[in-house]
């Protein structure tokens, strides 16, 4: 959401009280929506979700400027659900309208705004009796309606923004067959010119541009690299710590804000990150070669291999934010390289790791040994069942 938009969770009752807009005519909302400047620029159906999100924020900002902060809630409604043992409570459901034809899309926005207005009218009095019993005890003298306190108190939201489809896989979605450097020819000397050409053809957005435009540009860079080198390149953005993809082994790329800069700097950083990713994969492949083959019943061998790989991944990621995701990925690749049935990987890793690793913390040796022992035992058990 645009940084300029009011944040829905910070709205007070005075912001949304329908008594403050007695002149709102629901019958005229469709015309009002069509009169807003962004209404002339409805994206075509099938437009990338990041671009439609930017446009929807522009429409929302136009509604807020015309009607007030309360209008930011037009994508929100309330459903009553039994939530995780807490009983039936109000849940905010936040949904974007599908983008189809301009007329249909604008009508959906208008209906959403009218429905949000009608919900605030209901909240003013709880006329349908849906919320009063769920309200927390009064602890202040704000004068907020009981129904508003009821829907505000849980503060739980469920997002329904459709499918955030990406045109290339994320690195942890790749198989070992996808990334194994021994299965391809790769000349690092070709990379600087390749990345320079990509950036020259599509200059990076401004540093202050919406994050979705930056993300779309980064994806376009990955697509260009993939077309030249293959799907394995997706890991060039898997930076250490809280970078673009969180928890990876890459130090030459952090994120758009810190690594893009000028077009020349962006091209150089992408090139360095791609070569670093290839070199890291080559190192992983060398380790696999030294550790394999392993029989399923070789518990000692499996324990040594798993402990070695956990430590190697921890060292390359600095045990920084989300490092255990990279660890899980590498162990999954190792299972694949060892010939363990892919259908078993998820359950084996869940049982072995099971929340034992944490961000920013190098695990104690006994924890690593416990994970290694568990995974070795699970592999042996799975092997005996086949």
């Amino acid at each position: 959401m645009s940084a300029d938009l009011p944040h829905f969770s910070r709205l007070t009752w005075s912001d949304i009280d329908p008594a403050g807009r007695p002149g709102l005519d629901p019958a005229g909302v469709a015309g009002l929506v069509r009169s807003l400047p962004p209404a002339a620029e409805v994206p075509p159906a099938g437009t990338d979700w990041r671009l439609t999100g930017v446009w929807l924020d522009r429409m929302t900002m136009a509604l807020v400027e015309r009607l007030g902060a309360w209008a930011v809630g037009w994508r929100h409604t309330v459903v009553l659900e039994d939530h995780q043992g807490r009983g039936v409570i109000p849940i905010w459901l936040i949904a974007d309208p599908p983008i189809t034809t301009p007329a249909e899309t604008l009508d959906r926005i208008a209906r959403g705004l009218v429905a949000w207005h009608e919900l605030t009218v209901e909240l003013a009095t709880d006329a349908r009796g849906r919320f009063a019993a769920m309200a927390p005890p009064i602890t202040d003298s704000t004068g907020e309606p009981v129904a508003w306190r009821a829907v505000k108190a849980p503060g739980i939201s469920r997002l329904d923004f459709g499918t955030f489809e990406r045109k290339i896989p994320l690195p942890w979605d790749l198989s070992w067959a996808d990334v194994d450097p021994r299965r391809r020819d790769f000349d690092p000397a070709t990379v600087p010119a390749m990345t320079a050409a990509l950036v020259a053809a599509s200059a990076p957005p401004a540093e202050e541009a919406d994050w979705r435009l930056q993300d779309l540009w980064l994806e376009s860079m990955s697509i260009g690299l993939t077309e030249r080198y293959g799907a394995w390149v997706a890991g060039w953005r898997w930076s250490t710590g809280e970078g673009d993809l969180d928890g990876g082994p890459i130090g030459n790329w952090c994120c758009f804000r810190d690594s893009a800069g000028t077009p020349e700097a962006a091209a150089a950083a992408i090139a360095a990150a791609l070569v670093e990713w290839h070199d890291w994969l080559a190192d992983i492949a060398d380790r696999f070669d030294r550790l394999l083959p392993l029989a399923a019943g070789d518990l000692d061998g499996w324990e040594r291999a798993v402990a070695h790989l956990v430590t190697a991944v921890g060292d390359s990621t600095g045990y920084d934010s989300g490092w255990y995701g990279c660890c899980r990925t590498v162990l999954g690749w190792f299972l694949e390289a060892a010939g363990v049935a892919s259908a078993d990987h998820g359950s084996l890793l869940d049982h072995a790791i099971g929340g034992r690793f944490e961000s920013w913390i190098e695990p104690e040796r006994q924890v690593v040994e416990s994970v290694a022992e568990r995974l070795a035992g699970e592999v042996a058990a799975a092997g005996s069942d086949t």
Side-chain angles (χ1 to χ4, degrees):
M1 180 176 287
S2 169
D4 297 328
L5 282 171
H7 201 289
F8 178 81
S9 66
R10 300 192 185 102
L11 293 180
T12 66
W13 177 248
S14 62
D15 292 323
I16 71 165
D17 187 351
R21 48 181 188 276
L24 182 71
D25 177 13
V29 168
L32 182 150
V33 167
R34 282 173 166 73
S35 74
L36 300 174
E41 302 170 357
V42 180
T47 296
D48 185 272
W49 60 269
R50 285 156 288 208
L51 297 178
T52 60
V54 170
W55 178 79
L56 286 167
D57 280 358
R58 290 178 55 214
M59 281 296 297
T60 303
M61 192 69 236
L63 288 169
V64 168
E65 290 172 348
R66 183 71 64 89
L67 299 172
W70 73 275
V72 78
W74 71 267
R75 305 183 216 191
H76 294 65
T77 188
V78 171
V79 294
L80 302 179
E81 294 182 352
D82 192 339
H83 182 74
Q84 298 178 357
R86 297 178 59 179
V88 177
I89 60 173
I91 306 292
W92 289 107
L93 178 62
I94 311 167
D96 283 342
I99 305 296
T100 53
T101 67
E104 290 173 342
T105 301
L106 296 173
D107 282 344
R108 291 186 184 101
I109 294 174
R111 289 196 296 271
L113 183 65
V114 170
W116 168 234
H117 167 72
E118 291 174 347
L119 177 59
T120 65
V121 171
E122 180 185 1
L123 294 175
T125 61
D126 195 23
R128 296 166 60 187
R130 294 198 294 162
F131 304 115
M134 304 175 188
I138 296 176
T139 57
D140 55 42
S141 56
T142 61
E144 294 177 340
V146 173
W148 171 245
R149 288 192 289 109
V151 301
K152 185 179 179 182
I156 299 173
S157 300
R158 189 172 76 241
L159 309 180
D160 183 14
F161 289 159
T163 302
F164 293 166
E165 181 180 358
R166 294 187 176 275
K167 299 179 178 66
I168 59 169
L170 293 167
W172 48 84
D173 294 327
L174 296 170
S175 68
W176 179 240
D178 293 327
V179 301
D180 185 350
R182 298 164 300 186
R183 299 169 65 96
R184 61 174 179 270
D185 293 324
F186 174 70
D187 182 1
T190 65
V191 175
M194 176 63 183
T195 56
L198 282 175
V199 175
S202 177
E207 182 179 350
E208 64 275 9
D210 188 285
W211 72 268
R212 289 162 293 196
L213 301 180
Q214 297 174 356
D215 187 69
L216 188 60
W217 180 81
L218 289 170
E219 185 176 272
S220 74
M221 295 297 101
S222 291
I223 291 171
L225 294 172
T226 298
E227 291 172 348
R228 172 63 176 82
Y229 297 113
W232 67 272
V233 302
W236 72 267
R237 294 174 58 192
W238 202 1
S239 54
T240 56
E242 297 175 317
D244 269 353
L245 300 182
D246 192 50
I250 302 302
N252 281 297
W253 181 270
C254 168
C255 52
F256 185 93
R257 182 191 63 192
D258 293 340
S259 302
T262 65
E264 295 76 17
I270 294 170
L274 178 56
V275 173
E276 182 183 9
W277 173 243
H278 168 77
D279 291 347
W280 183 80
L281 291 174
D283 177 74
I284 294 297
D286 287 343
R287 295 176 190 273
F288 286 7
D289 284 342
R290 295 196 299 270
L291 296 168
L292 294 172
L294 275 173
D298 184 358
L299 293 179
D300 289 342
W302 272 96
E303 288 180 24
R304 287 193 299 270
V306 172
H308 171 81
L309 291 172
V310 169
T311 301
V313 172
D315 289 344
S316 64
T317 59
Y319 298 98
D320 211 320
S321 173
W323 72 274
Y324 45 82
C326 187
C327 181
R328 181 188 175 97
T329 298
V330 170
L331 292 178
W333 290 344
F334 187 66
L335 292 174
E336 179 186 345
V340 177
S342 59
D344 296 330
H345 293 180
S347 60
L348 293 178
L349 294 170
D350 286 343
H351 179 78
I353 298 174
R356 290 174 174 80
F357 298 148
E358 300 178 72
S359 294
W360 307 291
I361 296 176
E362 179 179 353
E364 298 290 339
R365 186 64 193 175
Q366 57 265 33
V367 174
V368 175
E369 291 173 352
S370 172
V371 168
E373 181 180 1
R374 280 174 172 264
L375 187 53
E378 289 295 304
V379 169
S384 67
D385 292 338
T386 59

